[in-house]
Amino acid sequence: MTPLAAAANESLAQLSNYLVYSSMAVYTLAFLAHITEWTFGSRSKVARTSAALTTAKGAQAPAVQVRSQGGTAVLDRPKVVTRSASGSRDVPDGPGAAGGTAQGDLYGRVAVSLTVLGFLIAAAGVVTRAMSVQRAPWGNMYEFSVTFSTVAVGAYLVLLLLKKNVRWLGLILITTVLLDLGIATTWLYTDSDQLVPALHSYWLWIHVSTAIFCGAVFYIGAAGAVLYLFRDSYEAHLEAGRTPGRFRSSVMERLPSAASLDKFSYRINAAVFPLWTFTIVAGAIWAGDAWGRYWGWDPKEVWSFVTWVAYACYLHARATAGWKGRKAAYLALFAFACWIWNYYGVNILLSGKHSYAGV
């Protein structure tokens, strides 16, 4: 490599770092906007869920209307759904983080706009990192983490673009993305460098990119499972005739119903599971080309398979054994915990052919 090319690559690497830090700054503003959205939304009435629990089965939930200057803006009508688990409840989805207020909705839109800006800047950081090393930008844990968080945000924005009711996920997503980027830039940062010869393959683009995408989508499914557990507990609390605190009511009643969160988590995990299967198969084919064997019980291979088995058990239990609701949510979270361990634990604590350089 000529000195001029080396200097250009170094400049691109520095630009990538600048873009990643800039995206963190924008995500911080988005985080504050989401907090403001929830704060203004808490000023709206929070009796919809408790009222719905006493409504006759199948009753239509009223539209949420917001009166503003010049007329009435009608927001999305909460949907009446039936709880997937035994002992069904008819509970409408909450009005969202904005709580049905025009001002809260405005801050929510600002938060989404900032999230889009942060995503574009982070994606540019990933691209410039790839240009600086002239390879796929996931050769170490730092690059993998930055790409993972970018893909997670991208998946969330795609769901919004498809008109899915997922804006409630924004605050949780941005919080964890900032945590992920903070860990990446503080403890996992590695200077851009070339890969070992065995990894110079087109399978790097195929295998690792699908692994990153699967992990990002599995994360969204896990977030839905966590919120399901909180919302289900809240609905059971109301059904038992107990009165929850004001803060808890304000937050829980703006989320989708437990049934909606349960179905959301299941559909997300079910949709991406075949791609995770392909990821393992692609990794085995690449291992055959690079190391002369398709499977060697390397720690990464073992835990990738354990993760596959955990998600397979989750999907099988829901489809055949009737494991819905809380049992399914616990199993989904266990499966995602296996994925997290496969990334952080295996890469940092265990040694093998998949260990990332510089970590």
Side-chain angles (χ1 to χ4, degrees):
M1 181 181 297
T2 65
L4 182 60
N9 290 341
E10 179 63 25
S11 297
L12 286 172
Q14 293 177 357
L15 176 60
S16 175
N17 296 340
Y18 172 78
L19 290 171
V20 170
Y21 280 107
S22 298
S23 69
M24 293 176 66
V26 176
Y27 284 143
T28 300
L29 294 177
F31 169 80
L32 295 175
H34 276 299
I35 289 291
T36 307
E37 176 190 19
W38 282 89
T39 300
F40 276 100
S42 66
R43 298 179 181 179
S44 64
K45 293 182 179 180
V46 290
R48 295 187 184 91
T49 299
S50 57
L53 287 171
T54 58
T55 302
K57 208 169 187 177
Q60 179 68 40
V64 179
Q65 294 187 349
V66 179
R67 298 195 176 275
S68 58
Q69 294 181 356
T72 301
V74 180
L75 303 183
D76 293 337
R77 179 186 296 274
K79 297 179 180 179
V80 175
V81 294
T82 301
R83 189 172 183 240
S84 299
S86 58
S88 63
R89 306 186 190 103
D90 287 342
V91 181
D93 290 341
T101 67
Q103 195 168 15
D105 183 65
L106 172 62
Y107 282 106
R109 293 178 185 276
V110 170
V112 172
S113 299
L114 289 170
T115 301
V116 172
L117 178 59
F119 166 77
L120 294 176
I121 296 173
V126 172
V127 172
T128 52
R129 179 80 174 195
M131 294 171 61
S132 71
V133 290
Q134 299 179 2
R135 59 165 172 78
W138 38 76
N140 50 62
M141 288 188 68
Y142 166 76
E143 295 173 353
F144 192 102
S145 295
V146 172
T147 306
F148 170 82
S149 62
T150 303
V151 173
V153 174
Y156 163 71
L157 295 176
V158 167
L159 289 174
L160 286 177
L161 190 63
L162 295 175
K163 307 297 184 182
K164 303 299 181 181
N165 176 26
V166 294
R167 207 165 86 182
W168 47 268
L169 183 61
L171 179 59
I172 297 174
L173 175 68
I174 296 303
T175 302
T176 50
V177 162
L178 283 171
L179 178 63
D180 176 66
L181 291 176
I183 293 174
T185 55
T186 303
W187 291 298
L188 302 179
Y189 181 78
T190 304
D191 290 332
S192 57
D193 200 357
Q194 295 302 317
L195 301 174
V196 297
L199 299 183
H200 284 285
S201 171
Y202 61 88
W203 283 107
L204 176 65
W205 292 91
I206 299 173
H207 171 64
V208 183
S209 63
T210 53
I212 292 173
F213 178 79
C214 289
V217 179
F218 279 147
Y219 160 75
I220 293 177
V226 169
L227 290 179
Y228 161 78
L229 292 174
F230 283 106
R231 174 75 190 209
D232 181 70
S233 176
Y234 173 75
E235 290 181 7
H237 195 83
L238 289 176
E239 197 171 41
R242 296 190 294 269
T243 303
R246 181 177 178 181
F247 175 79
R248 185 184 181 190
S249 296
S250 176
V251 173
M252 290 293 108
E253 291 194 8
R254 282 178 280 157
L255 291 175
S257 67
S260 294
L261 290 169
D262 181 45
K263 292 176 182 177
F264 171 80
S265 179
Y266 169 66
R267 289 170 180 173
I268 289 289
N269 290 326
V272 78
F273 179 75
L275 191 58
W276 182 247
T277 305
F278 169 78
T279 301
I280 296 177
V281 173
I285 296 174
W286 186 14
D289 291 342
W291 300 318
R293 77 338 179 243
Y294 293 102
W295 192 267
W297 297 104
D298 182 82
K300 177 69 70 173
E301 296 169 348
V302 170
W303 279 98
S304 295
F305 179 67
V306 169
T307 303
W308 184 90
V309 170
Y311 275 108
C313 290
Y314 162 74
L315 296 176
H316 178 74
R318 284 195 62 116
T320 61
W323 270 36
K324 299 180 181 180
R326 300 188 72 85
K327 289 182 179 179
Y330 290 135
L331 189 52
L333 292 177
F334 172 76
F336 184 67
C338 290
W339 191 93
I340 290 293
W341 167 256
N342 189 28
Y343 174 49
Y344 283 106
V346 171
N347 287 338
I348 295 175
L349 301 177
L350 304 179
S351 61
K353 289 182 177 294
H354 289 80
S355 298
Y356 279 102
V359 178

